[in-house]
Amino acid sequence: MLSLYNDLTRKKEKFYPIDKKKIRMYVCGVTVYDDCHIGHARSAVVFDVLRRLLEYLGYEVIFVKNFTDIDDKIIKKASQEGVKTEQIAERYIKSYDEDAESLSIKAPTYSPRATDMISQIVQMCKTLEDKGFAYSVDGDLFFDIKKFKSYGRLSGKNIVELEAGSRVEINKKKHHPLDFVLWKKSKSGEPKWQSPWGEGRPGWHIECSAMSTFLLGPTLDIHGGGEDLIFPHHENEIAQSEAATGKPFCRFWVHNGFVVTGGEKMSKSLKNFWTIKDILKLIPAEQLRYFLITTKYRSPLKFNWDDVKKAKRALDRLYGTLERIDEYQAKSGENCHLSINVENIVEKISDDLNTPAALGLLFDLSREANSLMEDGKFSKADKQCFDRIVKFCSDVLGILQMSPSTWFHNTINVPINSDQKAGMVSKEEEIETMIKKRNNARKEKNFKEADRIRKLLSDKGIILEDTATGTKWKSIN
RNA sequence: GGCGGCAUAGCCAAGUGGUAAGGCACGGGUCUGCAAAACCCUGAACCUCGGUUCGAAUCCGGGUGCCGCCUCCA
């Protein structure tokens, strides 16, 4: 049974969808004006794990994640570069897709762009105006929050208090400082679309309401995003959607915590961010994915290179067990000695996505398996049990997806979901040759030469292991 | 000013009423030509002060520190 922390009720609740088998899930995507950083990666991975878990549990998940492809920052960037906003959007949508693929993020069922949904957006704005929830002033259309009684419920904000100490700048067109723009009159030279209020473009919040309603219907099972979106973005989505449809907008609101560095939120404006692409030049994507799930999704995730490196060592341990199992001749026998099965892991993750606890079980399991093999007791039943768990890790967590030799031999720039070796062939041959030389020296008891070669390789980050079945090598980072 | 979150060993991180998972690092051992890996053993933690309770890291209240939202933000 899956339970999720619901920000709407501020407590952990048993999750069940409206339809027995079908889940409608919407996650706010990125505004495409720059490369994504680890904060975006975290959000993407968290909701990818949730989506994969739901599918693992047997649900059909209709998953929508949008691209905001028209907004002030995109317009600004386009004018700086002297190109059209479409070109900027196209470039960074491509960049996002590349990052998502590297990180094994499963593609959403739908990835709508705001500019492809203008008619639905205009339609919803019109409905809001017709119903008296919106007013137009000089080409702009605003949402009238005073008309929506439960405004502030999700974020726990009190409108009066917000007004009193707020930093919201005064816009004289607005009836209330917190009223927000649904349709924005375009300035000259800006992209524009026809509407009943004149030429303009959508405000930010309305696109999510229009898209989700159009693609998923009036009521969602799950709506996700970073916790910075709770207010005002998600608050406004609720107001717009419920005002327009008259139905509850979403049952479960799920938000991921920030990636922090040096104790501060990682963000563009603080210039303390690492892009996904920069990181993946240095470490395997699976290592980043593992790192991102070592902390519960709602807690702040402290990013520092020291701990990212430790994630590699931890995965080495798991892959080491996988490799040992591959080479081990399992004893026949129905007896399963392992004390942990895949259900135990599923149970942990089903508890509000407690990935760290699930990973903890994985290491317990690894020790048990290693120990059984040391004692020659690892059975075929044990192997089956272990295989099921590895498959779950691969399918849902997105780790342990490759073969151990791929992991150990080529740990950089490997597409996470591919077993292909990337440009390491000549280096591998070189290493194999040196290993042969060293083993010849060992046969002749020339240990000085053998150790010289070992040192030579270890200086290049290649560690040798002499085992009963021969010498193995792996690269360390 | 308003609202909210967090504080667990050297570092990271679970646990949310019954006596502290896990990973990395450290120490001792087994194994090894030497290593590595693995296994075994070991040490080490619940910010502070009160309260509730037979019993609190876990609940309540005060304090301190840090962070977030209230403006675009994953």
Side-chain angles (χ1 to χ4, degrees), chain A residues 376-389:
Chain A
K377 290 177 185 161
F378 193 73
S379 70
K380 293 212 162 120
D382 289 322
K383 181 162 167 36
Q384 275 176 10
C385 171
F386 203 95
D387 285 347
R388 268 197 293 272
I389 291 169

Side-chain angles (χ1 to χ4, degrees), chain A residues 146 158-168 175-178:
Chain A
K146 284 254 163 95
N158 176 307
I159 296 176
V160 178
E161 284 165 356
L162 269 170
E163 207 169 357
S166 75
R167 298 182 281 159
V168 179
H175 295 354
H176 186 280
L178 291 176

Side-chain angles (χ1 to χ4, degrees), chain A residues 26 33 68 122 127 142 158 172 176 217 241 249 276 282 327 345 362 373 375 380 389 396 401-402 413 434 443 461 470:
Chain A
Y26 186 96
Y33 73 103
T68 300
V122 169
T127 304
F142 294 100
N158 176 307
K172 287 193 174 147
H176 186 280
S241 302
F249 179 46
I276 298 169
L282 301 169
E327 289 164 2
I345 312 256
L362 235 43
M373 283 186 282
D375 298 341
K380 293 212 162 120
I389 291 169
V396 175
Q401 296 193 98
M402 58 185 94
N413 295 335
M434 290 180 80
K443 269 181 206 155

Side-chain angles (χ1 to χ4, degrees), chain A residues 86-323:
Chain A
E86 289 94 321
Q87 280 174 264
I88 300 294
E90 208 60 51
R91 184 195 307 162
Y92 293 110
I93 285 173
K94 182 165 172 281
S95 171
Y96 175 90
D97 285 342
E98 286 164 3
D99 291 343
E101 194 185 340
S102 300
L103 286 167
S104 288
I105 309 291
K106 205 172 163 185
T109 317
Y110 301 103
S111 304
R113 304 176 186 192
T115 58
D116 287 338
M117 292 277 186
I118 298 292
S119 68
Q120 286 85 357
I121 291 170
V122 169
Q123 183 58 51
M124 187 173 252
C125 289
K126 239 168 118 181
T127 304
L128 289 170
E129 190 180 35
D130 291 347
K131 288 192 171 183
F133 287 102
Y135 58 91
S136 63
V137 183
D138 188 26
D140 288 332
L141 184 72
F142 294 100
F143 187 89
D144 190 343
I145 62 154
K146 284 254 163 95
K147 295 270 169 65
F148 188 74
K149 276 180 288 192
S150 60
Y151 191 83
R153 183 184 164 207
L154 174 68
S155 55
K157 307 278 187 199
N158 176 307
I159 296 176
V160 178
E161 284 165 356
L162 269 170
E163 207 169 357
S166 75
R167 298 182 281 159
V168 179
E169 55 182 280
I170 314 263
N171 179 336
K172 287 193 174 147
K173 291 182 184 175
K174 294 181 183 177
H175 295 354
H176 186 280
L178 291 176
D179 288 349
F180 55 92
V181 69
L182 294 165
W183 188 262
K184 205 167 176 174
K185 182 180 179 179
S186 58
K187 298 183 188 127
S188 73
E190 286 183 353
K192 59 194 176 204
W193 289 264
Q194 286 300 328
S195 84
W197 313 280
E199 289 181 331
R201 59 188 167 94
W204 174 40
H205 312 291
I206 192 70
E207 68 176 69
C208 290
S209 291
M211 289 173 181
S212 64
T213 305
F214 179 68
L215 293 166
L216 297 169
T219 304
L220 308 172
D221 290 302
I222 299 172
H223 190 130
E227 67 181 356
D228 47 358
L229 298 182
I230 294 172
F231 190 89
H233 185 53
H234 288 166
E235 199 69 70
N236 293 350
E237 276 188 53
I238 293 172
Q240 296 162 159
S241 302
E242 298 193 353
T245 69
K247 299 199 169 113
F249 179 46
C250 177
R251 302 166 54 243
F252 280 77
W253 285 90
V254 182
H255 295 95
N256 67 278
F258 298 130
V259 175
V260 299
T261 176
E264 283 178 315
K265 175 183 173 183
M266 184 176 286
S267 72
K268 299 267 174 175
S269 50
L270 290 168
K271 295 185 177 164
N272 58 356
F273 61 92
W274 283 84
T275 67
I276 298 169
K277 286 182 166 59
D278 283 343
I279 292 196
L280 295 187
K281 282 175 194 153
L282 301 169
I283 64 165
E286 192 170 302
Q287 183 180 341
L288 178 57
R289 182 145 174 146
Y290 174 90
F291 176 75
L292 292 172
I293 59 171
T294 52
T295 300
K296 284 200 72 178
Y297 75 96
R298 290 194 291 112
S299 305
L301 172 64
K302 294 177 233 175
F303 179 86
N304 66 76
W305 281 103
D306 200 33
D307 292 318
V308 172
K309 282 178 190 156
K310 287 170 184 169
K312 167 71 167 60
R313 300 287 305 132
L315 272 172
D316 280 350
R317 182 169 169 77
L318 297 177
Y319 270 112
T321 302
L322 289 191
E323 184 171 55

Side-chain angles (χ1 to χ4, degrees), chain A residues 314-328 338 362-371 373 378 386 390 400 404 408:
Chain A
L315 272 172
D316 280 350
R317 182 169 169 77
L318 297 177
Y319 270 112
T321 302
L322 289 191
E323 184 171 55
R324 215 161 291 119
I325 290 175
D326 283 347
E327 289 164 2
Y328 182 85
L338 298 170
L362 235 43
F363 288 99
D364 290 334
L365 181 80
S366 185
R367 170 166 298 113
E368 282 185 18
N370 287 333
S371 184
M373 283 186 282
F378 193 73
F386 203 95
V390 171
L400 306 181
F408 286 123

